[in-house]
């Protein structure tokens, strides 16, 4: 899972101190977030439609990012769509473990 997020989303793999017990946990640093990965104790279930429906990432060019995903054999769940009356584009995909992921372009405010 750590390698997938590093390859697909551009996370920087590393380790961080575990909160619940001594030791270290695998993680990926992505601007604005640290994704931590640990062994689950139960079977994985998809996130869509649950209390945590999806996670989201803002990308610079959603069309180019989608082409990169396609070249890696990763398909979007639906085509990219423009949000009416806005400059925002959105698309969704599901990671190999069932996490529903929203990709946006133009949602985050511009920074100088």
């Amino acid at each position: 899972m750590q390698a997938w997020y590093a390859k697909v989303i551009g996370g920087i793999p590393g380790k961080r101190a575990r909160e619940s017990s001594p030791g270290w946990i695998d993680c990926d640093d992505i601007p604005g977030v640290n994704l931590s990965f640990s062994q689950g104790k139960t079977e994985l279930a998809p996130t869509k439609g649950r209390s945590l429906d999806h996670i989201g990432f803002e990308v610079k060019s959603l069309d180019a990012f989608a082409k990169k995903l396609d070249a890696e054999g990763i398909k979007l769940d639906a085509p990219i769509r423009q949000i009416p009356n806005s400059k925002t584009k959105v698309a969704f995909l599901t990671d190999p473990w069932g996490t529903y992921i929203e990709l946006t372009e133009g949602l985050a405010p511009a920074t100088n």
Side-chain angles (χ1 to χ4, degrees):
M1 201 162 162
Q2 180 186 30
W4 190 88
Y5 276 89
K7 177 182 175 187
V8 175
I9 305 296
I12 299 169
K15 295 201 179 277
R16 69 163 183 79
R18 183 175 288 140
E19 296 292 325
S20 61
S21 61
W24 297 89
I25 190 167
D26 292 332
C27 67
D28 275 347
D29 283 319
I30 298 170
V33 69
N34 176 276
L35 297 177
S36 299
F37 308 102
S38 63
Q39 184 67 35
K41 295 179 178 143
T42 60
E43 184 176 329
L44 292 175
T47 60
K48 188 174 180 182
R50 298 176 54 129
S51 59
L52 174 64
D53 181 77
H54 67 279
I55 60 175
F57 298 99
E58 173 80 4
V59 298
K60 289 184 192 250
S61 171
L62 188 51
D63 294 310
F65 194 80
K67 287 179 185 175
K68 174 186 166 258
L69 293 174
D70 190 55
E72 294 177 13
I74 300 168
K75 303 294 181 203
L76 296 176
D77 291 351
I80 296 169
R81 68 182 188 275
Q82 184 86 35
I83 302 298
N85 303 314
S86 77
K87 296 180 181 181
T88 303
K89 291 182 180 180
V90 64
F92 288 88
L93 70 130
T94 303
D95 78 11
W97 300 272
T99 306
Y100 198 45
I101 301 169
E102 178 180 23
L103 300 171
T104 59
E105 175 189 341
L107 181 65
T111 57
N112 293 333

